[in-house]
Amino acid sequence: MTHFITLEEAANEIKNGHVVAFPTETVYGLGADATNDEAVAQIYTLKTRPQFNPLIVHVKDLAAAEIYAELSPLARRLADTFWPGPLTLILPLKTPSKLSKLVTAGLPTVGLRVPNHQTALALLDEVNLPLAAPSANPSGRLSPTDAYHVAKLFEETDLSILKGETSKIGLESTIIDMTQETPVILRYGGLSIDAIKEVIPQIEFAGHSETIKAPGQLLKHYAPKIPLRLNATKVYAGEALLAFGDPLPTSGPSLNLSPSGDLIEAASHLFSFLHELEEHADITAIAVMPIPNTGLGHAINDRLSRGANREENK
Ligand code: TXA
Ligand code: MG
């Protein structure tokens, strides 16, 4: 059974090398002291995640980031503009490093971000440690946006959960690799590419061929329990509907990501609505209406197509 704990208890657990689930503005994370190998190993165990996946390290501010990584002027400009917020920067690791090699999967780089969430920042302040924290879901399951999703996903374990305000953004952070000459987008996420382009016009996009740089690109990563059928223009008998804009007619279970067609609103509901729909035991699939590929639509469609691609990444 999972259990809820206070901020003080959470800080103590982390200092003692245990894993605590905590809220961020993107999704809930499974947090542990990023300088403690055993603590970090527990994260991988809980997630049943392939060991080669490096984890994102959360720090309380830019000054804390500079303890662990080299920030180029360009990286500093992004950090100044978007931290705290849903942006992870992959940066050259400063050596020697106190960070566990398990966190970086042995790479000479580290993914850092400052979360924009009161409870997360209070926890970072209280522990005064960098926190490794992937999304708080077992590999291949949906990411959680509230404490009850986490409790459901880990009900078989005795995971401690620090409850806080629901994750407003509802999508993982956007990841940019800042270790090349031109910054490369490794993962679409809660910060739109348009916003990033206003600060740095020159960016590239990692193709699928180039994978494993961000193994978050593994297809099954976001699969719900029930098959997804994308770009649905009608709903078949036995299907649930995940609508966007004017909903398709259906007599089955149905939720609308955004009746007004607002992509930010849709992103914030995406994981929680999929969680809710997959609980209908009698449905055969979730029919998902088309989502436009603009703004946060990229990240939403990215998550949905991974969820739909259940066979490719078993
Ligand atoms: O919004 C988020 O980013 C959430 C919340 C909890 O902050 N965290 C999250 O972490 O999504 P995770 O571990 O699920 O995703 C980490 C992604 C993976 O795709 C990983 O491979 C990539 O970041 N990553 C981390 N460090 C990296 C590195 N040094 N080089 C390349 N990719 C890295
Ligand atoms: Mg994840």
Side-chain angles (χ1 to χ4, degrees), residues 1-5 13 18-22 28-32 42-43 46-47 135-138 144 147 149-162:
M1 272 283 279
T2 58
H3 51 280
F4 296 120
I5 57 174
E13 293 239 347
H18 300 300
V19 175
V20 171
F22 69 96
Y28 269 64
L30 277 184
Q42 285 180 52
I43 296 179
L46 272 162
K47 278 194 75 90
S135 50
N137 54 312
H149 294 160
V150 181
K152 181 178 99 173
L153 288 165
F154 290 96
E155 61 192 350
E156 311 282 300
T157 75
D158 64 354
L159 178 68
S160 302
I161 303 171
L162 175 60

Side-chain angles (χ1 to χ4, degrees), residues 47 49 135 137 143 172 187 221-222:
K47 278 194 75 90
R49 156 180 273 203
S135 50
N137 54 312
S143 298
E172 285 95 339
R187 178 174 80 181
H221 211 68
Y222 301 102

Side-chain angles (χ1 to χ4, degrees), residues 74 181-184 197 199-204:
L74 204 55
E181 216 166 86
T182 307
V184 183
K197 279 188 170 162
V199 180
I200 45 163
Q202 269 272 56
I203 41 175
E204 285 171 11

Side-chain angles (χ1 to χ4, degrees), residues 24 26-29 47 49 53-56 58 88 90 104 107 109-111 113 133-135 171-173 175 186-187 213-217 221:
T24 84
T26 57
V27 298
Y28 269 64
K47 278 194 75 90
R49 156 180 273 203
N53 276 26
L55 305 176
I56 290 173
H58 298 69
T88 294
I90 307 299
T104 53
L107 297 169
T109 57
V110 59
R113 87 176 189 96
S135 50
L171 286 176
E172 285 95 339
S173 57
I175 302 181
L186 296 182
R187 178 174 80 181
K213 270 231 136 165
Q217 296 172 341
H221 211 68

